[in-house]
Amino acid sequence: MNPRVSILVAAWNAAAYIAETIQSVQSQSFASWELILVDDGSTDETAEISRKYATSDQRIKIYQQPNQGAHIARNYAFSKSSGDYVVILDADDRILPKKIETQVKILDSNLNYDVVYGDTWHCDQFMNRVVLESKKYPAQHISGDIFDEIILGNRFAVHAGMVRRVVLEDVGLHDPNPNLIADWDFWVRVAEKYRFFYDNQVVAEYRIHPGMSANIDSGKKQFHQRMNTVANIERLSRYALVSRSIKNNIMFANARFAQKYGLHAEAIEIAKKMIFDQPLRIRNYLLYGYSLLNKCGGRA
C-alpha cells in the first residue's frame, strides 16, 4: 500500500543538521509517510548519516545525484514518490510531531482546498525558538484564493505546507532555472489555479544559520533571483487580470528588496517605472526620493 504522505528532502552538505531533520519526521504521530531524501552531491557525511536511518526504517529512501541544486534534487525526489500528499522539507529544518496528522485530516475533510499550511517558529542555528512567523509577519497568512497576495512575495515557510499530489502533477514542482526563488515560484504557480487553507497551529521550525543561502548569497544575486521570479509571474496567464494597483505594489516590493541590499540604482529605475505607471500615487515619489538620497550618500 502506498504511503499517504511523501516528504521530499534535498540535502547538500547537511551533516550538521540532517539527523535532526530525519528524526522530526520519524517523530510524527501519523505513520503512513515516506521520506524521499536526495543527496545532492554532498562532500561531507550527509549520505552516510542518512543511510543509517534508512537501514532501520524502510519508510526512508536515499538517492544520490551529482550536485545540481536543491530545486533539481526536489524534482528527482518527487519523481520517486507516491504519496497522495506532498511535503517539502529542507535538510536543516524540522517539522513538529502533529504536523502530518493535522494536515492530512484537514485536506481529507476539505476537498475545496488543495494546499494547507500552518505557522512556523523562526529559530536560531541551535533551534532555540525566536519568534513565530505569524508575529514576525502579521496578516501574511491567509486562506482561499491567495494569488493576488502571493505574487507580492512568499507567504510561509515551505515545510509548513502540504499539497495534494494531483496539484504537483498539474503545475509541476520546480522550474529547472537555478536563478529563481524556487519556493516562491512554485507556490505562485499553484496559487494561480488552486486554493489554500491556513490553519494557525504551529507545525514547523525554521532554522536561521550562517550557512544558509540567504546569508551566503550576495544581495545582487538574491535581487536578480527575485526579478527572474517576477518575470515568470508576469508570463502567467492570470497575471493579465491583476489590477494595475497590485502590479504597482509588486514593483514597490521589488524596489524595497533592492534597497534592503543597498542596490539603490536598481531601486531608482523601478521607482521611475512606478511613477510612469501611476503618476498620482505619492508613495512612488517618496520611494524615488529615498533611493536617490541613498545613492548619493545622503540619509533618509
Side-chain angles (χ1 to χ4, degrees), residues 146-155 184 188 226 230 233 242 245-254 257:
I146 71 168
F147 183 77
D148 286 357
E149 288 79 19
I150 202 167
I151 60 178
L152 299 175
N154 211 355
R155 301 278 108 181
W184 183 31
V188 166
R226 179 180 176 89
V230 169
I233 292 170
V242 172
S245 178
I246 292 175
K247 289 176 180 177
N248 200 266
N249 289 343
I250 294 172
M251 288 191 279
F252 181 78
N254 295 340
F257 195 89

Side-chain angles (χ1 to χ4, degrees), residues 1-6 29-34 59 83 100 104:
M1 183 181 295
N2 287 340
R4 294 298 314 284
V5 180
S6 297
S29 58
F30 187 87
S32 182
W33 53 261
E34 63 177 355
R59 297 173 295 178
I100 303 300
V104 166

Side-chain angles (χ1 to χ4, degrees), residues 259-299:
Q259 289 175 340
K260 174 182 175 181
Y261 292 105
L263 303 174
H264 300 296
E266 289 84 346
I268 288 170
E269 292 306 310
I270 295 171
K272 288 179 181 177
K273 293 176 183 177
M274 293 171 64
I275 292 169
F276 179 81
D277 179 64
Q278 289 196 314
L280 299 180
R281 202 164 187 178
I282 300 301
R283 179 192 67 177
N284 297 345
Y285 296 93
L286 295 175
L287 177 69
Y288 176 79
Y290 177 86
S291 299
L292 187 63
L293 281 173
N294 279 276
K295 183 175 183 292
C296 296
R299 299 293 182 188

Side-chain angles (χ1 to χ4, degrees), residues 61-124:
K61 301 164 188 176
I62 311 298
Y63 298 90
Q64 288 185 281
Q65 67 174 27
N67 181 248
Q68 299 178 67
H71 61 304
I72 301 298
R74 286 177 179 175
N75 286 345
Y76 183 30
F78 179 62
S79 74
K80 296 295 184 180
S81 70
S82 58
D84 299 324
Y85 303 131
V86 175
V87 172
I88 300 169
L89 176 60
D90 284 338
D92 51 3
D93 293 328
R94 300 191 303 210
I95 52 177
L96 299 184
K98 291 284 188 179
K99 173 192 158 66
I100 303 300
E101 178 185 357
T102 299
Q103 295 187 331
V104 166
K105 286 180 179 178
I106 290 172
L107 289 178
D108 279 351
S109 60
N110 292 275
L111 300 182
N112 291 329
Y113 293 101
D114 305 288
V115 179
V116 59
Y117 68 102
D119 206 351
T120 302
W121 277 109
H122 286 215
C123 305
D124 65 18

